[in-house]
């Protein structure tokens, strides 16, 4: 048979193939191979540089050797400073790359920036220099050494980017999470997401005035009514923002915050909202929609709240039926055709309610641990089917999900899964596939259930994190398991009496030699002896981050554990004590 050589492909076809490959491996494989490939590599129309999961060695080689050569054709950069790639941003800062060279950069993402105190507002201002930048994301960034007011210059710089249209803000600072209002006005920003940052109702007029062209607004806030408005403030609506048509509100705990936004955004056509601890019935929703959101067409919501003291089953059901009747009016059923499902359970002496619109539209699906008194009803007929495709995170409870009310539930996009073995055959009729599963947390109560875990690991081809919340395997760590993709292993599990197991020297050595130990890059573990920490670091060749607990690490010890580890570990390892008995070691 004739074998086609790579060199026989046309330049156009090679260029198309190059754009599909990971840029780090692409450059390391083909750069310097011959003159033709060198020419083609620098004719690639655009490069997308994603530095998640790259090793420190490859990162240094890539930044020092290749990145400046492709900077003017790089349109996307994603930096990661998480457990798998610690100190990446500080390394980038030390080489002084000069982001002004990325003249065509369109999209920039910072992932989990938090590991070095040298990272400050000047770093982000320096990185966000491209006047062509349209998409900017801060994901899980925690700068606890900086106060939000000291970050004002960076916020103002971001707001002044001339072409920025999409901003995702997931940033935590020292002393609180209140979002800081920018000084300049952005005439380009169209989509804004603010995660885990509190905004008070009196902030909204000022904030919206700074983004007059905004079309989509998403916010998550944990502020309560009592926290929202000091007595000296009064909410006064400003000119209405008629451009915003899509609004997403998550973790809403303040009715005042919610209604303040509704008052300012009368053009909303799509609303998605997650509410906690606020009792809202169908009549109240209708009143707000008619008065504030007259153009609303698509409404997705879920509410968790306490419905008062539980009396008895029959009285509770009458109370729930009365509540559900407010969602069975012509407004809901005939005019809008919006249907809901209600779950309720007695928790201690209270009646807990969980209400959501159909089809379900949120990442996480909440299920009560108590299945003995679990009840559910819906305003739609039994022959109507609504999917749960949006669910990404769930704790599998076989006793509950086997109930008739969940007989049609099928989950196809699960990314995080918690479960207790053994699982039954019904599991795979609800969890249809594990192709998207990234994190698995398991509880093993019987030794002969271990084979079921290996079955799941074999089906989860993208699994990154495996953890044990409680296990009889505390005395026998999970050495025999194999996974083609697992990189994070959390062994800080407890036994049925909730006692955390400490791994002795023999168990640590067995872990080092096991398949999971060999490929592990992030390890969470509790050890009996200090020497095991060194053995793990020197023995696990792929290890990048070690979270280690040690009961012998005490303030009263004459030999400080951190100083001992610094003496014996190479200088490229950084040691951080979160508290006596808990140390993070990273390379």
């Amino acid at each position: 048979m004739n074998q086609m050589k790579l060199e026989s492909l046309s330049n156009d076809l090679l260029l198309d193939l190059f754009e599909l490959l990971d840029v780090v491996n692409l450059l390391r494989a083909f750069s310097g191979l011959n003159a033709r490939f060198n020419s083609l590599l620098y004719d690639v129309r655009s490069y997308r540089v994603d530095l998640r999961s790259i090793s420190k060695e490859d990162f240094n080689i890539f930044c020092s050797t290749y990145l400046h050569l492709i900077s003017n054709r790089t349109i996307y950069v994603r930096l990661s400073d998480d457990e798998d790639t610690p100190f990446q941003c500080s390394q980038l800062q030390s080489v002084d790359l000069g982001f002004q060279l990325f003249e065509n950069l369109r999209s920039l993402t910072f992932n989990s920036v938090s590991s070095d105190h040298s990272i400050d507002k000047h770093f982000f201002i320096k990185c966000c220099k491209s006047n062509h930048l349209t998409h900017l994301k801060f994901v899980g960034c925690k700068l606890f050494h900086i106060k939000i007011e000291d970050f004002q210059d960076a916020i103002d710089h971001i707001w002044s980017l001339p072409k920025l249209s999409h901003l995702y803000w997931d940033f935590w600072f020292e002393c609180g999470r209140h979002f800081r209002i920018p000084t300049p006005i952005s005439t380009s920003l169209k989509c804004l997401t603010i995660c885990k940052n509190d905004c008070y109702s009196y902030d909204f007029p000022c904030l919206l005035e700074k983004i007059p062209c905004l079309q989509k607004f998403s916010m998550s806030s944990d502020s309560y009514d009592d926290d929202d408005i000091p007595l000296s403030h009064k909410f006064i609506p400003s000119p209405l923002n008629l451009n915003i048509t899509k609004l997403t509100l998550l973790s809403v705990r303040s009715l005042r915050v919610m209604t303040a936004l509704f008052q300012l955004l009368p053009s909303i056509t799509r609303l998605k909202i997650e509410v906690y601890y606020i009792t809202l019935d169908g009549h109240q929703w209708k009143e707000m929609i008619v008065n504030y959101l007259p153009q609303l067409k698509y409404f997705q919501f879920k509410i968790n709240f306490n419905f008062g003291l539980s009396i008895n089953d029959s009285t509770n059901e009458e109370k729930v039926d009365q509540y559900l009747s407010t969602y069975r009016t012509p407004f809901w059923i005939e005019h809008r055709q919006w249907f809901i499902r209600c779950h309720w359970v007695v928790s201690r002496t209270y009646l807990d309610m969980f209400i959501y619109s159909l089809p379900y539209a949120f990442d996480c699906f909440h299920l009560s641990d108590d299945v003995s008194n679990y009840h559910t009803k819906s305003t739609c007929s039994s022959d109507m089917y609504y999917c749960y495709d949006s669910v990404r995170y769930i704790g599998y409870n076989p006793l509950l999900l086997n109930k008739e009310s969940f007989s049609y539930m099928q989950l196809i996009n699960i990314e995080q899964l918690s479960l207790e073995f053994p699982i039954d055959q019904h599991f795979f009729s609800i969890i249809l596939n594990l192709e998207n599963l990234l994190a698995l947390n398991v509880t093993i109560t019987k030794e002969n259930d271990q084979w079921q875990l290996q079955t799941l690991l074999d089906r989860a081809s993208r699994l990154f994190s495996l953890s044990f919340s409680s296990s009889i395997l505390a005395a026998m760590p999970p050495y025999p398991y194999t996974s083609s993709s697992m990189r994070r292993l959390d062994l800080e599990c407890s036994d049925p009496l909730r006692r955390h197991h400490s791994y002795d020297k023999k168990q640590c050595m067995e872990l080092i030699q096991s398949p999971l130990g060999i490929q592990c890059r992030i390890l969470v573990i509790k050890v009996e002896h200090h020497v095991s920490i060194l053995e793990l670091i020197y023995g696990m060749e792929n290890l990048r981050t070690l979270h280690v607990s040690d009961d012998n690490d005490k303030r009263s010890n004459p030999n400080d554990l951190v100083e001992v580890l610094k003496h014996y570990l190479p200088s490229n390892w950084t040691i951080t004590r979160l508290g006596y008995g808990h140390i993070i070691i990273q390379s």
Side-chain angles (χ1 to χ4, degrees):
M1 294 179 63
N2 293 328
Q3 293 184 350
M4 177 178 288
K5 294 183 178 180
L6 190 63
E7 289 88 342
S8 66
L9 299 177
S10 68
N11 285 352
D12 288 340
L13 185 55
L14 283 172
L15 287 172
D16 289 339
L17 288 174
F18 284 175
E19 291 193 5
L20 298 176
L21 299 176
D22 171 67
V23 64
V24 176
N25 291 323
L26 172 68
L27 292 172
R28 293 198 67 179
F30 293 100
S31 182
L33 196 62
N34 57 46
R36 181 192 177 201
F37 279 117
N38 280 346
S39 176
L40 285 173
L41 285 174
Y42 303 114
D43 281 340
V44 173
R45 291 183 292 273
S46 60
Y47 281 103
R48 299 175 61 85
V49 179
D50 189 341
L51 297 173
R52 288 175 295 176
S53 298
I54 187 174
S55 69
K56 180 181 286 189
E57 179 182 2
D58 285 344
F59 178 83
N60 290 334
I61 293 173
F62 178 71
C63 289
S64 61
T65 307
Y66 303 113
L67 194 51
H68 67 283
L69 298 175
I70 64 169
S71 59
N72 63 338
R73 280 182 298 279
T74 298
I75 63 170
Y76 171 93
V77 173
R78 180 158 190 161
L79 300 171
S80 178
D81 206 12
D82 61 13
E83 295 175 310
D84 203 22
T85 52
F87 305 109
Q88 193 174 96
C89 289
S90 59
Q91 287 177 265
L92 185 65
Q93 184 171 243
S94 66
V95 299
D96 194 22
L97 184 62
F99 264 78
Q100 63 272 18
L101 298 176
F102 291 80
E103 55 189 37
N104 293 307
L105 188 64
R106 303 290 195 273
S107 179
L108 176 60
T109 298
F110 297 94
N111 189 68
S112 300
V113 179
S114 61
S115 58
D116 198 303
H117 282 207
S118 66
I119 302 300
D120 57 16
K121 63 180 180 182
H122 302 292
F123 170 78
F124 294 103
I125 292 174
K126 190 175 183 180
C127 290
C128 303
K129 282 290 186 181
S130 173
N131 287 332
H132 296 287
L133 198 63
T134 59
H135 291 68
L136 180 60
K137 295 182 71 173
F138 300 94
V139 182
C141 296
K142 300 176 182 178
L143 299 187
F144 293 140
H145 58 285
I146 300 177
K147 293 183 179 179
I148 182 64
E149 53 265 29
D150 295 329
F151 207 71
Q152 184 72 54
D153 290 347
I155 295 174
D156 290 348
H157 173 79
I158 291 168
W159 235 255
S160 301
L161 292 170
K163 295 185 178 181
L164 186 67
S165 59
H166 293 69
L167 175 61
Y168 187 96
W169 186 270
D170 182 5
F171 236 137
W172 290 28
F173 295 90
E174 178 188 349
C175 300
R177 298 178 288 118
H178 186 73
F179 185 74
R180 190 81 174 178
I181 304 298
T183 304
I185 294 175
S186 171
T187 57
S188 61
L189 201 57
K190 296 180 180 180
C191 300
L192 173 62
T193 298
I194 301 174
C195 294
K196 304 182 186 71
N197 279 239
D198 293 333
C199 286
Y200 302 146
S201 59
Y202 58 82
D203 287 334
F204 292 135
C206 297
L207 175 61
L208 294 175
E209 286 177 355
K210 304 298 182 181
I211 36 179
C213 297
L214 196 67
Q215 298 174 2
K216 298 178 181 180
F217 182 38
S218 178
M219 185 194 77
S220 61
S221 173
D222 291 333
S223 63
Y224 292 84
D225 275 350
D226 291 343
D227 305 324
D228 178 39
I229 301 182
L231 295 177
S232 59
H233 289 83
K234 183 179 179 181
F235 175 70
I236 302 176
S238 64
L240 302 178
N241 191 313
L242 300 178
N243 293 310
I244 299 179
T245 59
K246 185 174 181 180
L247 177 64
T248 301
L249 299 175
L250 302 178
S251 299
V252 176
R253 289 166 167 80
S254 169
L255 183 61
R256 186 182 290 118
V257 166
M258 182 175 70
T259 54
L261 263 178
F262 291 170
Q263 287 179 261
L264 294 171
L265 307 175
S267 300
I268 295 296
T269 60
R270 292 177 177 267
L271 174 62
K272 180 177 179 180
I273 186 165
E274 176 186 58
V275 179
Y276 291 96
Y277 313 125
I278 304 174
T279 304
L280 290 168
D281 63 26
H283 297 323
Q284 291 168 307
W285 276 123
K286 175 187 174 182
E287 183 179 357
M288 284 189 288
I289 292 169
V290 171
N291 291 336
Y292 303 134
L293 306 174
Q295 300 187 43
L296 186 66
K297 291 181 173 57
Y298 302 95
F299 184 30
Q300 300 168 322
F301 72 93
K302 70 173 181 177
I303 314 174
N304 289 79
F305 63 92
N306 181 285
F307 209 30
L309 288 172
S310 170
I311 309 300
N312 54 56
D313 285 349
S314 61
T315 305
N316 290 342
E317 187 163 0
E318 289 178 7
K319 190 175 181 180
V320 170
D321 283 337
Q322 185 177 3
Y323 173 82
L324 283 179
S325 67
T326 66
Y327 290 94
R328 289 193 170 107
T329 64
F331 173 83
W332 288 88
I333 305 299
E334 298 173 16
H335 302 159
R336 301 300 179 105
Q337 295 187 345
W338 292 339
F339 302 97
I340 70 161
R341 179 169 286 281
C342 168
H343 304 285
W344 74 94
V345 63
V346 177
S347 177
R348 298 177 182 174
T349 59
Y350 290 92
L351 188 64
D352 288 340
M353 300 276 285
F354 176 37
I355 319 293
Y356 56 86
S357 57
L358 295 170
Y360 191 79
F362 297 84
D363 291 344
C364 182
F365 189 80
H366 171 77
L367 293 172
S368 171
D369 293 331
D370 186 356
V371 299
S372 60
N373 57 10
Y374 188 88
H375 306 277
T376 181
K377 285 189 177 183
S378 175
T379 60
C380 68
S381 61
S382 58
D383 59 344
M384 298 178 70
Y385 169 75
Y386 288 98
C387 71
Y388 291 77
D389 293 351
S390 64
V391 178
R392 300 292 189 271
Y393 320 116
I394 195 170
Y396 180 79
N397 187 326
L399 295 178
L400 185 56
L401 290 177
N402 277 337
K403 285 182 174 287
E404 183 179 353
S405 57
F406 292 101
S407 58
Y408 297 105
M409 177 182 277
Q410 293 183 335
L411 307 176
I412 62 174
N413 295 311
I414 295 299
E415 296 178 2
Q416 295 184 23
L417 173 64
S418 297
L419 57 85
E420 178 178 333
F421 289 108
I423 56 175
D424 54 16
Q425 294 181 346
H426 191 61
F427 174 85
F428 288 107
S429 67
I430 293 180
I431 313 290
L432 295 187
N433 67 71
L434 299 174
E435 295 176 0
N436 296 315
L437 188 64
L438 302 176
L440 175 62
N441 178 272
V442 298
T443 296
I444 298 179
T445 57
K446 297 179 181 178
E447 196 166 331
N448 58 2
D449 294 334
Q450 299 176 47
W451 67 271
Q452 288 193 322
L453 174 56
Q454 186 59 60
T455 300
L456 294 188
L457 294 177
D458 292 340
R459 297 193 180 196
S461 59
R462 296 179 58 201
L463 184 71
F464 181 83
S465 175
L466 173 62
S467 59
F468 297 82
S469 60
S470 178
S471 175
I472 56 124
L473 297 179
M476 187 188 70
Y479 301 140
Y481 300 113
T482 59
S483 167
S484 61
S485 58
M486 193 284 305
R487 295 295 180 267
R488 188 183 194 276
L489 184 60
D490 187 341
L491 297 179
E492 202 171 44
C493 59
S494 59
D495 63 17
L497 297 178
R498 297 186 178 180
R499 297 172 301 191
H500 287 281
H501 176 71
S502 292
Y503 287 73
D504 59 28
K505 294 180 182 179
K506 180 176 180 295
Q507 291 173 330
C508 287
M509 290 304 299
E510 291 173 348
L511 173 62
I512 291 170
Q513 298 166 8
S514 69
L516 295 183
I518 290 172
Q519 68 191 56
C520 180
R521 296 200 297 232
I522 304 162
L523 177 64
V524 182
I525 193 171
K526 184 176 183 180
V527 300
E528 285 188 358
H529 306 285
H530 295 343
V531 68
S532 295
I533 300 175
L534 298 174
E535 290 173 345
L536 289 169
I537 291 176
Y538 280 105
M540 300 174 67
E541 59 182 23
N542 290 308
L543 191 66
R544 300 179 184 179
T545 295
L546 174 63
H547 292 260
V548 61
S549 298
D550 186 344
D551 288 340
N552 297 314
D553 178 34
K554 301 177 181 178
R555 188 186 300 271
S556 58
N557 284 350
N559 296 320
D560 184 78
L561 178 57
V562 171
E563 296 303 319
V564 171
L565 292 174
K566 286 181 179 180
H567 178 75
Y568 286 102
L569 289 177
S571 58
N572 63 313
W573 286 87
T574 299
I575 305 170
T576 305
R577 177 186 274 125
L578 297 183
Y580 280 94
H582 187 188
I583 292 174
I584 299 179
I585 307 172
Q586 295 177 297
S587 171

